[in-house]
Amino acid sequence: MKSILVVDDMPIFREPIAASLRGAGYNVVTACNGKEALVKLRAQKADLLLLDIAMPVMDGIACLAELRSDPATRDTPVILLTAISEKKHILAAARFGVQDYLLKSRFSLQELLVRIKKHLTE
């Protein structure tokens, strides 16, 4: 069973997405910020991350930078699922090799599942 780490500081987004992914057959772990995500990844590797950008403690871009600097997590696929659409954040994420980018205001669960499946089979 493939595992996904869902990282978002807002339970209203994090928990329904996690429940839907569990229902789709994935093993799902959640974290409320980038720092917690890194701790959980070091304890148990995930096959893919769904990562928000704007979070307290450690934001998604800083988390992504640390992921890519660690040989153990360097190649883990990351999909940003965020409300932030500013070009500077998109470019920063691209520099760190993010696989995909979805806006919270425009995504559907079906689209998210298609993209997850795509990145888990590549």
Side-chain angles (χ1 to χ4, degrees):
M1 180 184 300
K2 297 285 186 177
S3 62
I4 299 173
L5 176 57
V6 178
V7 188
D8 197 305
D9 62 317
M10 299 183 68
I12 194 166
F13 289 111
R14 184 181 64 237
E15 297 309 323
I17 289 169
S20 296
L21 293 175
R22 286 183 188 106
Y26 294 103
N27 178 35
V28 180
V29 177
T30 61
C32 63
N33 61 61
K35 188 173 184 176
E36 182 181 357
L38 292 171
V39 168
K40 289 189 174 187
L41 276 174
R42 289 180 182 119
Q44 179 181 349
K45 188 176 182 329
D47 296 303
L48 183 137
L49 263 74
L50 281 182
L51 184 62
D52 189 14
I53 292 177
M55 296 180 288
V57 184
M58 177 185 278
D59 68 32
I61 300 298
C63 179
L64 193 54
E66 282 210 34
L67 281 170
R68 296 306 186 225
S69 70
D70 183 343
T73 57
R74 178 177 295 138
D75 298 323
T76 304
V78 176
I79 298 174
L80 289 183
L81 181 58
T82 185
I84 294 178
S85 61
E86 294 171 21
K87 188 174 182 177
K88 69 178 183 176
H89 294 292
I90 296 168
L91 292 173
R95 280 193 301 275
F96 290 115
V98 70
Q99 274 66 33
D100 223 326
Y101 187 96
L102 290 167
L103 285 174
K104 287 179 180 177
S105 61
R106 295 188 184 151
F107 93 101
S108 68
L109 182 59
Q110 185 173 344
E111 179 183 9
L112 179 61
L113 289 170
V114 166
R115 292 189 191 203
I116 287 171
K117 188 174 183 178
K118 174 187 170 197
H119 295 297
L120 286 176
T121 58
E122 287 182 343

